[in-house]
Amino acid sequence: MNFNAYPFRSSTSKLAVAVAAISVSSSLYAADTIKTISVNQPTAALTELNIDFATAAVTPTAYELSSPTRLVLDFPNVSNQMPSRVQRFNQGFIKDVTTLTNDNMTRMIIALTDQATFSTRMVNNRLVVSMQANLPTPAAAVEVSEVPPVVAAPPPVTVVSKNSAVKPPSDTMVVKVNPLLNPAASVVQQYNYDGLSAINYNGTSNGGGNVSINLVNDSIGVDVQRMGDELVVRLTGATIPSRLQKQLSVGNGLVKNIIATNQGRNGVIRIGMSADYEYKAFQTGNQLNINIDPPKKLREPTIEERSYSGAPLSLEFQDVNVRTILEVLGQHTNTNIVASDSVNGSITLRLINVPWDQALDIILKSKNLDKRVNGNVIWVAPAAELAKQEADELKAQQDKKVLDPLRTEYIRLNYAKATDIRTLIEAGRSNSGSASSNGSTLLTDRGTVTIDDRTNTLIVKDTAETITNIRDLIAKIDIPVKQVMIEARIVSASDAFSKELGVKWGILSQGAASNRNLLVGGSAQTVNELKKYTITSNTVNGVTTSYPTYNITTPNNLNVNLGAANAAGSIAFGLLSISDLLLDLELSAMQADNKGEVISSPKVLTADKQTAKIMSGTQIPYQEASASGATSTSFKDAALSLEVTPNITPEGRIGMDLTIENASADTSFNPPAINKDSIKTNVVVDDGQTVVLGGVFKNTLGNSVTKVPFLGDLPYIDRFFKRTSKNNIKQELLIFVTPKLVNDSARIN
């Protein structure tokens, strides 16, 4: 059966969406597996993408997008067996192909160099997608709809034509175009793939081992760090499958065990060591190799410690010159041996089946000789002579530094500060500016380092060897530093309850106008005011009435004043009014229930091992006097502050030096007092873990009674001569801290 392509020209609308027309058969969707993908280019204007299935080719749903130009193929109910997620071709119209798979669909994103016309044909179990340059043929108008969810069923195959005269061939399917803004971004959120396919270990003869880790593809970020007696391998943005999450006990040797686990969305492989070690890590394609070896010794091993691998031989000599024995060893082993003129003396020995290199060491040791190996040549001389020669060579090198010409290099830094690097390079210099005698500085006596702060550039003037060493140092330390987001949450809750009940008594005579011999009031001032009065006359209906008027100060006229402070309510009674006496009673009461919660959430972003501080609040001024009498103003912080210094450990945990203060001003004092809650601690937590640093709980209970002596103790009537108050105040302070690593490298390409 022949299939004809129905071409469409690309649209130039703002949606930048081109129409993709793919000819397919009318066969039903069938579950299958994609096995391989290949690209061939028959002509310069034609590129073919070959998709091989396990049994039969499957009809896709297609979308073409621009900026950048991509072709998206969705295969429902199709799995994927591609060894790598990204296949790079850079051939014809195709740059690369990204294959993503979830539970019910495989999405293929084809990155294109330009827009093209697409058609398909099926050859057995192969789907061939042909791509050629757009032809100036009439195009049918296509309905543009909203993007369906990635996991939803394929959109219906429909076409809405504005011109009935233009019809596609009967055996051609016109795919409805959906303007996917960024299909890859949607897939990233829904496709979570495993980053490993295998973990292998092989021991070596020197007691070390080789760990081989097979990655799913070479785009997975890998971080290898040493942490004490462990070597930690962290996969960025990729997890370890459940079948590989296990502990492998290696046994004897330097490598003790290998533990593979997941920490969040990152896979972590911990290689435990039984002793000190050295390692080399390198990646070839999608395979990460880690070579682990015992550390190299800083001194020459003794004869007892050395291991020999030379061919065994037997020697028996009686009073033979050492030079002759050296000649015999050189001829027997086909080794180049050069003996100094000072090598002399005779030796008697008998060695049976001894490695020749061990026999050589024994002979040299017996005559206080030593050797130096340069390539395939062995130089033999007295030990003192070799030491003197090496010392002379070292002295010559030191003298050469004085005579070497000076060079000037301009080194621009990317991440580190030029001031800090200069301090590090010049460490060890004396106050006079010359290099110290202990050789701790990187510069020679004639070397100088200046900086340009504007461009963050080092200007180094020294010998070529010194400049090379400085460049090597900068290459290792001028690297980006991981950042940490520290979020603190301070919760201050309070629950207060108070209740007061009091009474006010007042007794007052009518004053001197009625009875000068009986003047009663709450104070001497009231009695004095009762003596002073004025006669006020008032005429009503021709009848004139005269009465005294007093100016009594309130509440000084009260005999008992034990009312509740800030009373919520009160009631007063006029109990008695006879002759010239007035008796008053006022009851007052107050009950308050106060609940509150204050939440503060300071947040700060800082780099690893860099101190950061954030503060929000006010500063209170204080006047201070000096011994001379002059005054000055100082300010005290009454604010919420967070000061933190993070330390990212090799295994991905976060250590923090924390100082948190929550202060407020108490204006009831003059000058104001500062109420402060603070905590200072050092903690180590996992990435994203919330930890409760501390809390303070206060519960204040108070009962107070204020009363009139004797009268306040009388039964039944004591209530009228006292005030009672009850208080119950609860306060609680909690501090939570959550550190989070800001990982910019955790991206899926």
Side-chain angles (χ1 to χ4, degrees), residues 181-487:
L181 299 179
N182 191 356
S186 303
V187 173
V188 167
Q189 300 176 0
Q190 301 188 30
Y191 291 81
N192 186 15
Y193 65 95
D194 293 324
L196 294 185
S197 59
I199 303 175
N200 301 313
Y201 171 79
N202 294 317
T204 57
S205 59
N206 61 353
N210 297 326
V211 180
S212 177
I213 301 174
N214 295 334
L215 306 175
V216 174
N217 57 70
D218 56 2
S219 63
I220 297 176
V222 180
D223 184 21
V224 182
Q225 293 182 345
R226 176 170 181 167
M227 188 201 67
D229 57 352
E230 284 187 343
L231 189 63
V232 181
V233 181
R234 182 177 299 273
L235 307 180
T236 304
T239 58
I240 299 175
S242 56
R243 61 183 179 86
L244 297 178
Q245 296 183 27
K246 56 186 178 180
Q247 177 174 349
L248 175 63
S249 298
V250 178
N252 298 328
L254 189 58
V255 180
K256 184 170 57 177
N257 54 39
I258 301 175
I259 304 174
T261 59
N262 286 328
Q263 289 185 355
R265 299 181 178 179
N266 301 326
V268 179
I269 302 173
R270 288 185 169 87
I271 306 173
M273 308 295 179
S274 59
D276 194 14
Y277 64 96
E278 295 179 350
Y279 77 95
K280 295 180 180 178
F282 58 94
Q283 184 174 347
T284 305
N286 62 344
Q287 183 170 344
L288 175 65
N289 298 303
I290 303 175
N291 298 334
I292 303 170
D293 299 310
K296 297 180 179 178
K297 297 182 178 181
L298 300 179
R299 60 175 178 84
E300 290 290 331
T302 62
I303 295 181
E304 293 79 8
E305 297 173 342
R306 294 175 184 173
S307 59
Y308 301 95
S309 59
L313 53 78
S314 299
L315 298 174
E316 186 173 358
F317 295 100
Q318 183 72 27
D319 194 20
V320 179
N321 191 277
V322 174
R323 302 177 69 89
T324 303
I325 298 177
L326 294 177
E327 182 181 359
V328 172
L329 285 176
Q331 293 177 354
H332 179 77
T333 60
N334 198 22
T335 305
N336 300 317
I337 299 178
V338 179
S340 174
D341 293 340
S342 54
V343 177
N344 50 35
S346 301
I347 189 173
T348 300
L349 57 86
R350 183 176 184 272
L351 301 174
I352 306 299
N353 291 328
V354 177
W356 73 266
D357 46 355
Q358 183 180 5
L360 178 61
D361 286 345
I362 294 173
I363 295 170
L364 298 180
K365 190 71 173 177
S366 63
K367 305 301 291 185
N368 198 22
L369 301 175
D370 203 352
K371 68 178 181 183
R372 295 293 183 267
V373 180
N374 186 3
N376 60 348
V377 178
I378 300 176
W379 180 29
V380 178
E385 181 179 337
L386 290 177
K388 183 178 181 304
Q389 182 180 9
E390 292 174 347
D392 293 341
E393 292 178 355
L394 182 60
K395 186 176 182 303
Q397 293 178 0
Q398 296 293 332
D399 296 338
K400 184 174 178 296
K401 292 182 179 180
V402 181
L403 302 176
D404 279 350
L406 299 181
R407 292 174 48 192
T408 302
E409 286 281 342
Y410 304 91
I411 306 174
R412 177 171 292 181
L413 304 177
N414 298 321
Y415 304 98
K417 295 182 180 179
T419 305
D420 298 337
I421 300 299
R422 181 179 66 176
T423 303
L424 181 62
I425 294 174
E426 293 181 341
R429 281 187 177 269
S430 61
N431 296 331
S432 61
S434 62
S436 62
S437 60
N438 57 11
S440 59
T441 180
L442 295 177
L443 298 173
T444 63
D445 295 345
R446 301 179 296 160
T448 59
V449 178
T450 57
I451 63 173
D452 180 30
D453 291 328
R454 186 179 65 87
T455 60
N456 200 35
T457 301
L458 289 175
I459 305 173
V460 184
K461 186 176 182 180
D462 213 319
T463 62
E465 181 182 359
T466 301
I467 292 177
T468 302
N469 295 334
I470 292 176
R471 282 192 172 276
D472 294 339
L473 171 66
I474 293 176
K476 290 180 173 61
I477 65 177
D478 188 24
I479 59 177
V481 181
K482 293 184 178 180
Q483 300 183 93
V484 184
M485 175 67 74
I486 310 294
E487 181 178 359

Side-chain angles (χ1 to χ4, degrees), residues 134-173:
N134 289 327
L135 301 176
T137 57
V142 184
E143 181 186 17
V144 179
S145 64
E146 296 295 329
V147 183
V150 176
V151 297
V157 180
T158 58
V159 64
V160 180
S161 179
K162 295 182 179 179
N163 187 2
S164 60
V166 181
K167 295 182 179 180
S170 59
D171 58 352
T172 301
M173 180 184 73

Side-chain angles (χ1 to χ4, degrees), residues 10-11 15-20 63-72 92-98 108-118 131-132 134 180-183:
S10 301
S11 173
L15 294 177
V17 180
V19 177
Y63 315 91
E64 189 191 4
L65 309 134
S66 57
S67 302
T69 305
R70 291 157 292 170
L71 177 63
V72 182
F93 286 99
I94 301 177
K95 293 191 292 185
D96 58 69
V97 178
T98 302
M108 191 174 295
I109 304 174
I110 307 168
L112 305 175
T113 59
D114 197 2
Q115 294 180 349
T117 299
F118 308 93
M131 309 175 189
Q132 59 183 4
N134 289 327
L180 290 175
L181 299 179
N182 191 356

Side-chain angles (χ1 to χ4, degrees), residues 713-743:
D713 298 327
L714 295 177
Y716 304 108
I717 65 172
D718 58 336
R719 177 56 62 183
F720 300 105
F721 296 95
K722 65 182 179 181
R723 178 178 66 238
T724 60
S725 177
K726 295 182 179 180
N727 297 296
N728 188 2
I729 302 174
K730 298 179 181 178
Q731 294 179 330
E732 187 172 10
L733 176 67
L734 295 175
I735 300 176
F736 306 86
V737 173
T738 305
K740 298 179 181 178
L741 287 176
V742 180
N743 195 350

